[in-house]
Amino acid sequence: ELLEALGATYMELGDIENALISLKKCVEVSPEESGNPWMYLGQLQRGAEALENFKKGAALIKRDYETACGNAGPGSMEASHIRMQLSAAYCSLAEMYLTDLCFENEAEKSCEMYLKQALDLNPEDPQALQAFASFCISKNKPDDARIHILKALKGIEESMRTHNDLSAEENFVFELLPFEFRVCTARILIELKEYTKAISLLDQLVEEDDEVVEVWILLGHCHISENDGEAAGECLSRGKEMVTEFLKADADNLLFREQKDRIESLEKKAQNITTGCSSQENAEPTTSA
């Protein structure tokens, strides 16, 4: 447990080298004790190596889930907690076939199998629903994708309401859905042209943390798609201010440079919308003969 906790801490700090050392030592010493270190290892690796670690982790979590169901019942708090872990493990396996292993034989079949297993365990799991939406998009099935991402959004909104209703002490132990997960949900909503819902979600993210450049870019994109050049310009301006400061400290950062390029491209579109609206407002009305 100590090695697992140490590895997880190194991961949070971004120290991948020491995280790998700790986690590999953990599974070497106690390979069958827990699925968690195997899942952590999978997150730090790529391709076939990551896949094998995810599979090992999922198998151990499934074992623990079946044990908990047998001892305390499937409705027990322990079984419910492990069921969520197992659903997340299946999602990690499915996502391998959407990314690193997308060109493998039967990648589509394997991806769908793991996603269905995740949803069978927890039909309301936002992570599984979002992953299934991504899968549907890859299969050019936007209607099915929309059904699943809107269900995921509902889960996110319920999680946010629960978070807002809890006291400060209760929120300390309440695990809100990760920020980046919600950003990814917004991206999928945008891809499916659900701009109003994406704006609502992104506005919530801004309230939570207004110093994430990507969120301002996505908001700008949404407002452009809604033909609101002024709102788009304000969002893009906020994002540009931040990324400009970031580039002063790290001029060669590829992510910051790419974000700046995206902002400048979107600013032109926002300006065209604003200019077009101004031209229409200033134009003299015409009369028919």
Side-chain angles (χ1 to χ4, degrees):
E1 290 186 6
L2 180 59
L3 285 168
E4 178 187 330
L6 185 61
T9 301
Y10 279 130
M11 286 178 66
E12 291 177 3
L13 295 173
D15 189 342
I16 305 304
E17 182 179 354
N18 281 313
L20 282 168
I21 292 171
S22 299
L23 292 167
K24 286 181 177 179
K25 184 64 175 177
C26 179
V27 299
E28 179 184 333
V29 173
S30 304
E32 302 295 323
E33 183 174 336
S34 169
N36 292 335
W38 292 101
M39 298 303 298
Y40 287 139
L41 276 173
Q43 292 175 36
L44 297 175
Q45 296 166 330
R46 301 291 301 272
E49 191 175 20
L51 179 68
E52 289 308 309
N53 285 322
F54 281 144
K55 283 184 175 179
K56 179 66 175 180
L60 292 173
I61 295 170
K62 183 179 180 183
R63 177 203 65 188
D64 293 344
Y65 174 60
E66 291 172 347
T67 300
C69 288
N71 291 339
S76 66
M77 184 174 296
E78 179 186 9
S80 297
H81 176 68
I82 301 175
R83 182 168 59 247
M84 291 174 63
Q85 289 182 320
L86 184 55
S87 177
Y90 286 145
C91 286
S92 294
L93 282 162
E95 287 167 3
M96 288 297 302
Y97 290 104
L98 281 171
T99 54
D100 293 19
L101 304 177
C102 62
F103 295 113
E104 293 289 311
N105 291 333
E106 298 193 346
E108 178 185 332
K109 182 179 178 180
S110 297
C111 180
E112 187 171 13
M113 176 189 72
Y114 284 122
L115 287 173
K116 286 184 175 180
Q117 287 178 339
L119 288 171
D120 285 344
L121 282 167
N122 190 355
E124 306 302 321
D125 178 15
Q127 182 180 359
L129 290 164
Q130 185 196 91
F132 208 99
S134 294
F135 173 73
C136 291
I137 288 173
S138 73
K139 295 303 298 172
N140 197 28
K141 295 181 177 179
D143 292 339
D144 290 342
R146 184 172 290 102
I147 290 170
H148 285 86
I149 201 61
L150 291 180
K151 286 182 179 179
L153 179 62
K154 181 180 178 182
I156 290 172
E157 291 171 341
E158 289 175 353
S159 173
M160 292 294 296
R161 282 194 293 270
T162 300
H163 178 267
N164 293 335
D165 290 342
L166 293 177
S167 65
E169 293 78 8
E170 291 171 321
N171 265 325
F172 183 74
V173 297
F174 178 78
E175 188 173 350
L176 193 63
L177 286 163
F179 191 95
E180 180 53 40
F181 174 85
R182 288 174 279 156
V183 173
C184 184
T185 301
R187 289 196 191 98
I188 295 174
L189 288 167
I190 291 169
E191 187 165 356
L192 295 170
K193 297 181 172 55
E194 293 285 347
Y195 301 118
T196 301
K197 289 182 171 59
I199 289 171
S200 177
L201 177 57
L202 290 165
D203 281 342
Q204 292 174 4
L205 292 173
V206 166
E207 290 181 13
E208 191 173 323
D209 185 350
D210 64 357
E211 295 187 356
V212 180
V213 174
E214 184 66 19
V215 174
W216 290 109
I217 293 174
L218 293 175
L219 267 172
H221 180 101
C222 287
H223 286 304
I224 287 170
S225 298
E226 296 273 270
N227 212 37
D228 189 342
E230 184 176 352
E234 292 174 1
C235 294
L236 296 169
S237 177
R238 288 291 300 275
K240 192 172 185 178
E241 287 175 12
M242 286 185 284
V243 82
T244 299
E245 289 300 313
F246 295 156
L247 282 168
K248 288 179 181 178
D250 189 359
D252 295 326
N253 188 293
L254 293 178
L255 173 61
F256 297 155
R257 290 166 63 182
E258 182 265 343
Q259 287 179 326
K260 186 172 184 290
D261 289 344
R262 288 166 61 202
I263 289 171
E264 290 176 348
S265 175
L266 289 170
E267 281 182 324
K268 293 177 182 177
K269 295 180 180 180
Q271 184 61 41
N272 287 339
I273 293 171
T274 303
T275 303
C277 290
S278 298
S279 298
Q280 290 179 8
E281 289 173 0
N282 294 330
E284 294 183 4
T286 59
T287 59
S288 57

